[in-house]
Amino acid sequence: MPELPEVETIRQGLAENLVGSQIHAVKLRRRDLRVPIPRQLARAVVGQQVDKIRRRAKYLLFDIGEHTLISHLGMTGSWTFNESNVRRKHDHVSFHLMDGRELVFNDPRRFGLLTIVPRGSEGNCSWLSHLGVEPLGVDFDAEKLRALSSGRSIPVKNFLMDQKIVVGIGNIYASEILYRARVRPLRRVERISMKDWRAIATSVREILRAAIGGGGTTLRDYRSVNGQSGRFKNRLQVYGRAKLPCYACSTVIQSRALAGRSTYWCQVCQK
DNA sequence: CTTCGATCCTGAAGGC
DNA sequence: TGCCTTCAGGATCGAA
């Protein structure tokens, strides 16, 4: 479900609504996510205050007392405050706060992750240690992309979605980024010029920034912490638009599965 | 080593 | 209405 802009939107919502709160109790209802939620998670955070919420790639990092809680949303994970006292299906974990509020981690497909590590050690834990460059960080640029692509021959869309190379880009934004950069998703990275790498690097930043500004993209499940839909879905140019006319040139948008993921592009605007 | 398909899981949507 | 198939914002594993 969530790519970098959605995770960043959730991070901002949690930063506004959770930082400074003290945890009163934790309820683990279902532990078997992608990997089991450690039992000691509750003991580690109860009585502690949430100091900071950070993001690395598509992971959320909650600094709480002596620990850092690490969460990944997989395809369908969400963090919301339970305002209605209704227990929904797939509410796997609840954090009851001292002020009476309840923060819930819900994840129907259970591809998500929730674990805990000692604070300060998160950078070398197995979940975060092999991640690639942050696309909105200072060391992301066209030269970096070209260097990372050397010796490889995968389609550029797969390259952009590989979290060991560059983090945060998923299936929606990969198609949108390449449309904006005017590069076809199937083009192999060995055939991409420096000029095109520059267009791609610029598009990566512009699309992700614009999507964060719009509060992310909601196709079905995704909601921000306060329950709002992402407005960037109205700005999608190609994703989900197979057989519809390109907004720029009216040619029908192509679609094809690539590495098992649906991929969209304009045969005329993109080369 | 790289690349690619299968796989984990649940639910929504569409065809008949 | 129901039953069946397909597909879904991700990441990992193993085969080639």
Side-chain angles (χ1 to χ4, degrees):
Chain A
M1 160 173 90
E3 309 183 32
L4 186 150
E6 290 74 37
V7 178
E8 179 59 24
T9 301
I10 291 167
R11 188 200 67 75
Q12 289 171 8
L14 290 170
E16 287 165 21
N17 293 288
L18 183 64
V19 165
S21 298
Q22 196 176 354
I23 298 171
H24 178 250
V26 176
K27 176 75 178 172
L28 300 179
R29 289 185 199 81
R30 180 147 198 184
R31 296 176 51 238
D32 56 332
L33 306 186
R34 198 167 95 210
V35 299
I37 299 173
R39 286 184 195 282
Q40 66 269 25
L41 183 147
R43 187 165 45 76
V45 302
V46 165
Q48 307 295 316
Q49 175 181 292
V50 181
D51 297 322
K52 194 169 184 184
I53 317 278
R54 296 176 287 146
R55 178 190 60 75
R56 170 73 173 111
K58 299 175 191 170
Y59 292 86
L60 286 166
L61 310 176
F62 302 65
D63 291 325
I64 303 171
E66 302 299 307
H67 294 84
T68 296
L69 190 72
I70 301 178
S71 124
H72 191 292
L73 300 171
M75 292 279 251
T76 51
S78 66
W79 286 101
T80 52
F81 287 94
N82 177 5
E83 316 261 330
S84 61
N85 264 348
V86 174
R87 180 57 54 218
R88 301 164 305 169
K89 217 170 171 181
H90 312 301
D91 279 353
H92 304 314
V93 184
S94 291
F95 293 80
H96 296 275
L97 308 180
M98 290 297 282
D99 60 19
R101 291 180 301 156
E102 178 191 0
L103 178 69
V104 182
F105 181 77
N106 181 290
D107 184 8
R109 291 175 76 177
R110 290 187 282 119
F111 290 174
L113 170 80
L114 196 59
T115 194
I116 193 151
V117 298
R119 196 154 160 177
S121 76
E122 65 276 2
N124 15 314
C125 79
S126 64
W127 306 107
L128 305 184
S129 62
H130 301 298
L131 292 171
V133 60
E134 283 287 337
L136 300 178
V138 290
D139 48 352
F140 174 84
D141 57 23
E143 282 73 21
K144 184 92 176 181
L145 287 178
R146 188 184 59 168
L148 289 167
S149 70
S150 92
R152 313 199 57 168
S153 73
I154 44 174
V156 62
K157 182 191 178 230
N158 299 11
F159 178 79
L160 290 177
M161 288 177 66
D162 186 339
Q163 305 297 303
K164 291 189 287 301
I165 297 170
V166 48
V167 301
I169 301 170
N171 202 41
I172 293 178
Y173 296 116
S175 283
E176 295 297 311
I177 286 162
L178 290 168
Y179 174 79
R180 181 162 243 268
R182 305 179 74 87
V183 173
R184 291 185 192 172
L186 281 111
R187 180 126 58 97
R188 306 246 155 193
V189 289
E190 62 201 340
R191 302 200 173 264
I192 293 191
S193 66
M194 198 57 217
K195 185 180 169 210
D196 285 335
W197 281 125
R198 280 192 212 101
I200 290 167
T202 303
S203 295
V204 165
R205 286 177 173 272
E206 288 174 348
I207 292 281
L208 295 179
R209 280 274 175 230
I212 292 169
T217 300
T218 297
L219 295 183
R220 49 173 16 142
D221 305 316
Y222 164 74
R223 291 288 183 287
S224 68
V225 170
N226 52 38
Q228 290 183 334
S229 296
R231 298 178 302 281
F232 196 76
K233 68 169 180 297
N234 304 313
R235 315 233 322 241
L236 297 177
Q237 303 294 299
V238 288
Y239 186 88
R241 300 197 63 245
K243 299 179 183 171
L244 295 172
C246 171
Y247 291 130
C249 75
S250 300
T251 307
V252 294
I253 298 297
Q254 309 286 305
S255 83
R256 216 201 99 167
L258 185 55
R261 317 297 301 279
S262 49
T263 305
Y264 303 86
W265 74 99
C266 172
Q267 196 71 23
V268 171
C269 294
Q270 296 169 258
K271 300 295 179 193

